[in-house]
Amino acid sequence: MHVAVTLQTFRAATRASKFVKYFTTLPEPKEPIIMSATIPGPKSLELKEKLGGVQMAETVQFFVDYECATGNYLCDVDGNVMLDTFMQIGSMPLGYNHPRLVGVFNNARSVKTLVNRPALGYFPGKDWATKLENILKEIAPKSLDNITTMMCGACANENAYKNIFITYMRKKRGEDACFTDEEIESAMRNCPPGAPNLSLLSFEGAFHGRTLGALATTHSKYIHKIDIPSLDWPMAPFPSYKYPLEEYERCNKEEDKTCLAQVEELIEAYCKKEKHVAGIVVEPIQGEGGDKHASPEFFQQLQCICKKNDISLLFDEVQTGGGCTGKFWCHEHFDLPSPPDVVTFSKKLQLGGFFHTSDFRPREPLRIFNTWMGDPAKILLLEQIVTVIKEDKLLKQVEKSGKVLKTGLLQFEKEYPHLVNSARGRGTFLAISFETPELRDTVVGNLRKLGIITSGCGKQSIRFRPALIFRETHANIVLDRLRKVLSEIKK
């Protein structure tokens, strides 16, 4: 018989837990609690059918009771309490219902910020400049002293691309040169010279968003791109490493060299095609493409190629920014000779946007512009998130929890070598691969039956994207249940 969860029953189920922390509004349970025979349960299926009547709902996995969610645990409408290692596609830095975030709008001033949403490009609030200065001071990548706020990761990338093209053409035209009449007229017809034949180089397996320009640099799944007209922009191979890294060091170094050589060849080839490459866009870790990593040396050499060709380097940190790799920005792991030109962000930082130097600021108004240009209410949340990360030393917590989880995944490679391989990652931004896509899907489904939410990535990997408050206790729960799933498959 189905029993729906309520706040009262949830409190009763979690009352015995010793894991009562100030970062949850309700005490966390000791472990996942599964109430329904299947996930999604009957109530989720009923709601999915209802939603399907008004919009496409095929991707919906189950419906959530967010009032009961707490910390690292998500509650669905069928009474299941699950340990969430996916956290809304990696966008929940402090877990569910963190008191510091729940309290953000418990005052009239913050509520007015929420309901009086301004067109920031025209009518920003009196404290907007101060808010952005504080954000720059607290989290901006080194030497990137300008910020452009947007709504999401895709529009952050989309507008960062535009900034790269604008900067490239300004340098080519001359810093003080004006637009010619021919440029102005031809731009309105989508033709050169006003609409120049420029390109951005991206990488095989990359994911940078689903808007039209960002989609031209996205290469992770065909379903994102099919039937959509696109741009003739170059795509280079991204390193595909063999694991364990220490056993394949020489092989992986050769992989770096091969990929970098093709980057240079593509830049030259597109120059000959009169579609000059204005910049390179790259993820520090390819998330959607399968949690593919590259060495610090690869990124250092990639930056050298950009400088040699006088083109921009954009790090897309939409997924990796915010502390999940043990540093606030993943590119900080790479010891780059100088800062990247542009860094885009979203997800854990709540709104979208990009950091850049003043050199990438357009000289004319309305070139990077839309109605909202971000959201002041999200900045209020971000301020608290950054404060909690620092006060609670959550980057150190990420390192400790990640070490436990990664050590366990590496152990599974030894115990079940015919099932799993290639454990990898930084901090809690971790993944492990399976022998087949079908096996991966089976494991994701069976983990969910045991109360663990995770997700696939690439062709046959599982990715872990827990909140920054994920602790060693939670890592061990995940490992215990993953061992149970693997041992049953082995039988």
Side-chain angles (χ1 to χ4, degrees):
M1 177 178 170
H2 166 66
V3 180
V5 71
T6 66
L7 274 174
Q8 289 73 29
T9 58
F10 182 75
R11 287 192 176 105
T14 60
R15 192 171 293 130
S17 173
K18 295 180 181 179
F19 194 67
V20 180
K21 293 288 183 181
Y22 58 91
F23 54 69
T24 59
T25 52
L26 294 171
E28 283 194 350
K30 293 181 182 178
E31 59 184 11
I33 303 165
I34 301 302
M35 305 282 285
S36 63
T38 61
I39 301 174
K43 196 164 186 180
S44 272
L45 291 173
E46 179 183 338
L47 289 171
K48 186 172 181 176
E49 183 178 359
K50 182 178 180 180
L51 179 63
V54 295
Q55 69 173 216
M56 181 176 287
E58 281 76 5
T59 60
V60 172
Q61 298 182 24
F62 53 82
F63 284 77
V64 179
D65 184 346
Y66 285 104
E67 187 180 3
C68 292
T70 183
N72 292 279
Y73 283 85
L74 187 63
C75 311
D76 75 3
V77 293
D78 288 285
N80 302 300
V81 182
M82 293 171 276
L83 177 56
D84 190 354
T85 71
F86 193 40
M87 281 289 158
Q88 307 298 321
I89 321 181
S91 64
M92 299 287 289
L94 304 182
Y96 296 104
N97 289 316
H98 192 289
R100 294 282 281 273
L101 300 187
V102 170
V104 165
F105 299 107
N106 286 346
N107 62 79
R109 183 176 180 180
S110 294
V111 168
K112 288 176 181 177
T113 299
L114 183 64
V115 300
N116 297 305
R117 186 176 182 180
L120 287 166
Y122 281 158
F123 310 110
K126 61 185 178 181
D127 59 350
W128 185 238
T130 301
K131 295 285 187 187
L132 294 188
E133 285 176 352
N134 290 339
I135 291 299
L136 282 167
K137 181 177 68 175
E138 292 292 335
I139 65 171
K142 184 179 179 181
S143 299
L144 303 189
D145 55 0
N146 277 236
I147 182 173
T148 299
T149 52
M150 287 288 162
M151 294 305 304
C152 66
C155 60
N157 281 327
E158 192 88 14
N159 285 281
Y161 294 179
K162 288 163 62 179
N163 250 2
I164 287 173
F165 291 134
I166 290 168
T167 303
Y168 181 90
M169 289 303 297
R170 188 186 73 242
K171 291 178 178 178
K172 183 177 179 181
R173 186 182 293 115
E175 292 291 338
D176 299 321
C178 297
F179 306 131
T180 66
D181 291 340
E182 184 184 11
E183 287 176 320
I184 293 169
E185 188 275 332
S186 60
M188 300 306 293
R189 294 185 288 106
N190 303 328
C191 297
N197 285 325
L198 300 178
S199 63
L200 288 178
L201 185 144
S202 55
F203 290 88
E204 183 180 354
F207 183 88
H208 298 292
R210 293 180 173 90
T211 52
L212 204 59
L215 195 61
T217 59
T218 288
H219 314 288
S220 55
K221 292 184 176 71
Y222 80 87
I223 200 64
H224 300 149
K225 297 172 69 74
I226 198 163
D227 293 334
I228 311 299
S230 195
L231 299 158
D232 178 16
W233 288 359
M235 180 186 71
F238 192 80
S240 185
Y241 288 164
K242 294 183 178 180
Y243 290 85
L245 293 176
E246 58 273 14
E247 292 183 17
Y248 293 98
E249 183 177 359
R250 180 179 296 180
C251 176
N252 292 336
K253 283 185 177 180
E254 287 301 315
E255 178 73 358
D256 280 354
K257 290 180 182 178
T258 299
C259 293
L260 289 165
Q262 291 196 46
V263 168
E264 295 202 85
E265 290 171 9
L266 283 165
I267 292 173
E268 183 178 353
Y270 271 70
C271 179
K272 291 178 179 177
K273 289 172 63 173
E274 295 296 325
K275 292 190 176 181
H276 295 269
V277 175
I280 294 176
V281 53
V282 66
E283 298 161 278
I285 302 170
Q286 284 193 342
E288 182 74 12
D291 269 40
K292 294 178 68 176
H293 291 251
S295 67
E297 293 76 18
F298 173 83
F299 290 107
Q300 292 164 14
Q301 290 303 309
L302 191 65
Q303 186 177 58
C304 288
I305 291 171
C306 288
K307 290 187 178 299
K308 182 175 73 174
N309 289 277
D310 196 21
I311 62 177
S312 302
L313 176 60
L314 185 159
F315 272 105
D316 177 351
E317 293 244 28
V318 168
Q319 291 199 38
T320 52
C324 50
T325 67
K327 294 184 183 293
F328 201 90
W329 302 106
C330 186
H331 73 263
E332 294 174 344
H333 289 284
F334 303 150
D335 297 320
L336 297 172
S338 59
D341 298 301
V342 182
V343 174
T344 54
F345 63 86
S346 192
K347 288 193 180 288
K348 283 184 171 63
L349 277 64
Q350 304 306 292
L351 76 167
F354 52 100
F355 293 99
H356 55 97
T357 64
S358 57
D359 192 46
F360 282 81
R361 184 189 296 189
R363 304 298 192 258
E364 305 83 14
L366 294 177
R367 304 202 73 183
I368 304 295
F369 191 89
N370 57 46
T371 298
W372 282 324
M373 295 289 293
D375 184 351
K378 298 298 185 185
I379 289 286
L380 296 181
L381 293 172
L382 178 56
E383 286 177 330
Q384 289 300 314
I385 288 166
V386 172
T387 298
V388 171
I389 288 173
K390 293 189 173 184
E391 287 182 355
D392 294 356
K393 298 179 172 60
L394 291 185
L395 297 189
K396 291 184 178 179
Q397 181 60 54
V398 164
E399 291 179 351
K400 291 190 289 185
S401 307
K403 183 177 181 181
V404 171
L405 186 55
K406 188 174 181 180
T407 299
L409 297 177
L410 290 168
Q411 179 61 31
F412 291 155
E413 288 186 13
K414 298 176 182 178
E415 294 180 29
Y416 308 99
H418 60 298
L419 299 178
V420 298
N421 59 77
S422 305
R424 57 201 182 274
R426 297 179 182 274
T428 54
F429 198 102
L430 300 171
I432 191 167
S433 295
F434 292 78
E435 282 300 308
T436 65
E438 294 76 18
L439 176 59
R440 186 273 307 276
D441 294 344
T442 296
V443 171
V444 169
N446 288 349
L447 278 173
R448 184 160 297 178
K449 292 175 184 176
L450 295 176
I452 305 296
I453 301 173
T454 186
S455 176
C457 66
K459 292 182 179 179
Q460 53 205 70
S461 296
I462 283 180
R463 54 181 161 175
F464 297 93
R465 302 291 190 268
L468 305 181
I469 61 169
F470 186 79
R471 301 177 72 86
E472 298 93 320
T473 308
H474 303 107
N476 283 319
I477 292 172
V478 172
L479 293 170
D480 287 344
R481 281 156 178 73
L482 181 53
R483 174 177 274 110
K484 178 176 175 62
V485 169
L486 294 174
S487 64
E488 290 178 350
I489 289 173
K490 185 178 179 181
K491 294 176 185 177

